[in-house]
Amino acid sequence: MSTHTEHDFTKAKAVTVDGIEGEYARVEMPDGTTEDWRLDAMPEGVKEGDVVYVRAAEGQFEMRIDHEETRERRQHAQSQLDTLNAESGTGTEEINL
């Protein structure tokens, strides 16, 4: 029988906060579907675009924001937008995250 500490997220699932509206966070699930979760059930300080790891432990859910993964995804997305902006060459306003 394996034991897990509160900080063992090796079997956790990653979800992405797609948006925040009022008291709810719209969360993109690993399969691409979305669900609305109560914001007060999410980790403190969660923001749109954050990657959150969720793990079920002893009948309860534990969540934590993966700041490093969030930063990497934002940098990748911004890089893609920068490439699109450079290729457009129209002189119109750039798109940024």
Side-chain angles (χ1 to χ4, degrees):
M1 177 174 170
S2 66
T3 59
H4 298 283
T5 66
E6 180 178 318
H7 303 291
D8 181 7
F9 278 83
T10 56
K11 295 187 180 196
K13 302 286 185 195
V15 299
T16 304
V17 178
D18 186 54
I20 295 176
E21 297 178 16
E23 297 178 6
Y24 291 90
R26 185 176 45 258
V27 177
E28 183 177 340
M29 306 302 289
D31 66 0
T33 61
T34 59
E35 295 182 2
D36 290 334
W37 291 4
R38 289 194 55 81
L39 196 53
D40 60 7
M42 302 289 292
E44 186 175 333
V46 70
K47 301 181 301 281
E48 183 176 315
D50 281 347
V51 175
V52 177
Y53 279 91
V54 181
R55 180 176 84 87
E58 299 175 12
Q60 296 186 340
F61 287 101
E62 296 176 354
M63 294 187 229
R64 72 169 172 82
I65 300 169
D66 187 331
H67 296 285
E68 181 66 22
E69 179 70 17
T70 299
R71 184 185 60 77
E72 288 175 9
R73 288 186 185 190
R74 281 192 175 124
Q75 285 179 339
H76 178 73
Q78 186 62 56
S79 176
Q80 289 179 319
L81 287 173
D82 290 346
T83 299
L84 288 171
N85 286 332
E87 290 174 356
S88 71
T90 62
T92 60
E93 191 172 323
E94 291 185 358
I95 302 171
N96 292 298
L97 289 180

